[in-house]
Amino acid sequence: MANQKGGMANQKGNWNSGNSKGRFLYFARCGGSTRMGCTMNRLVLMLALVLVVPAGAQTAMPPSGATAFKDTSAFRPPSGAKVAIIEFEDLECPLCAHVSPMVRDAMSHYHIPRVHHDFIIPGHVWSRNGAIYARYLEDKVSLQVAEDYRRDVFASQSLIASPDDLQQFTRRWFQAHGQAMPFVLDPSGKCAAEVEADCALGRRTGIAHTPTLVVATAHRWIEVTEPDQLYAAIDRAEAEVNASGGRPQSGIR
């Protein structure tokens, strides 16, 4: 897990502020079959968890290692979704690369979106450039193509040790995917500003490490502190939504 303590530089000095809208994707499941329902015992267990945990309280699964967030206003699903995965990630973070396939599988399995935010860890030498390349693809081509690029960077992370390595990888990736890579990719600085807006959001939120994974409904959220608890967190969130009839509780975040 990449963090801002220990061997990493702490975040000090001046940073530009900005707004971040967050981007999200649905990963469609292959074929037309739907996800099989939970067993009765599992459903009863999930409903019991909903009843005993007060709505609106911070929840982490497991509770150890929970982040002391400062502002959780970003922890909500996009319009039209009842449950979503919120993720802050750094392309140079090894655990982000490890967790990425799990998140994609969960999106496909549950048919829920992921709201993505970049969060650059100080001391990482090429991840900001990678985030800018991805944001260029997102703005100029499509959200899906940008997501494919991020996933391929994660898969090749061990081969990328410097900004030059990343640039060479990206140039080959553009060619392989039928995209023309401009000589100057972000002349106006717009993509860099969008990445920094995400980072500023992360600092306001109190993000301390990457990946930070949160499963959110309209009225509460669960931090997933161990990736193998992601499915359980989504089960819990969906049970809560079903128990409330899918209606958000006013005034509770």
Side-chain angles (χ1 to χ4, degrees):
M1 179 178 290
N3 57 54
Q4 300 173 82
K5 298 180 181 180
M8 296 294 180
N10 290 326
Q11 290 196 22
K12 297 181 179 179
N14 297 323
W15 297 83
N16 295 326
S17 61
N19 295 322
S20 176
K21 298 179 180 179
R23 286 86 52 220
F24 62 94
L25 285 176
Y26 284 90
F27 279 93
R29 190 179 187 186
C30 294
S33 60
T34 58
R35 180 167 55 91
M36 294 186 66
C38 297
T39 65
M40 183 60 69
N41 288 340
R42 191 176 187 185
L43 178 58
V44 170
L45 174 60
M46 290 297 105
L47 290 174
L49 287 170
V50 169
L51 293 175
V52 301
V53 178
Q58 173 175 328
T59 307
M61 295 180 65
S64 60
T67 302
F69 295 115
K70 298 182 291 186
D71 177 0
T72 60
S73 58
F75 296 167
R76 64 188 67 183
S79 177
K82 295 179 180 180
V83 178
I85 300 169
I86 316 295
E87 183 175 17
F88 288 80
E89 70 178 10
D90 180 302
L91 287 173
E92 203 169 337
C93 164
L95 187 55
C96 292
H98 176 70
V99 166
S100 176
M102 303 180 191
V103 174
R104 288 169 63 90
D105 288 347
M107 293 166 65
S108 176
H109 184 76
Y110 288 93
H111 284 281
I112 61 174
R114 164 183 173 264
V115 181
H116 166 269
H117 297 290
D118 291 303
F119 190 73
I120 309 303
I121 298 297
H124 283 183
V125 299
W126 56 260
S127 59
R128 185 174 294 271
N129 287 355
I132 291 171
Y133 294 151
R135 198 61 61 96
Y136 170 86
L137 289 167
E138 188 173 308
D139 292 349
K140 299 295 185 181
V141 185
S142 74
L143 184 61
Q144 183 61 65
V145 170
E147 191 68 6
D148 291 343
Y149 171 78
R150 291 186 179 102
R151 303 290 75 81
D152 288 345
V153 169
F154 279 143
S156 301
Q157 197 180 67
S158 62
L159 304 176
I160 302 172
S162 68
D164 287 342
D165 289 345
L166 176 68
Q167 185 178 47
Q168 293 174 19
F169 169 87
T170 303
R171 194 172 300 280
R172 293 192 300 269
W173 194 94
F174 270 60
Q175 291 173 349
H177 291 79
Q179 303 294 330
M181 185 172 175
F183 181 73
V184 180
L185 187 137
D186 187 29
S188 68
K190 178 177 180 290
C191 297
E194 290 172 348
V195 170
E196 177 53 31
D198 262 8
C199 295
L201 173 64
R203 293 190 292 272
R204 291 195 303 272
T205 301
I207 300 301
H209 53 76
T210 57
T212 293
L213 285 173
V214 172
V215 174
T217 69
H219 49 85
R220 65 179 285 108
W221 51 269
I222 303 168
E223 181 184 12
V224 182
T225 57
E226 292 292 342
D228 61 4
Q229 294 294 306
L230 179 58
Y231 276 46
I234 297 171
D235 282 339
R236 181 168 174 172
E238 289 196 335
E240 180 179 299
V241 168
N242 292 336
S244 65
R247 296 184 299 275
Q249 300 176 12
S250 177
I252 299 178
R253 294 294 179 207

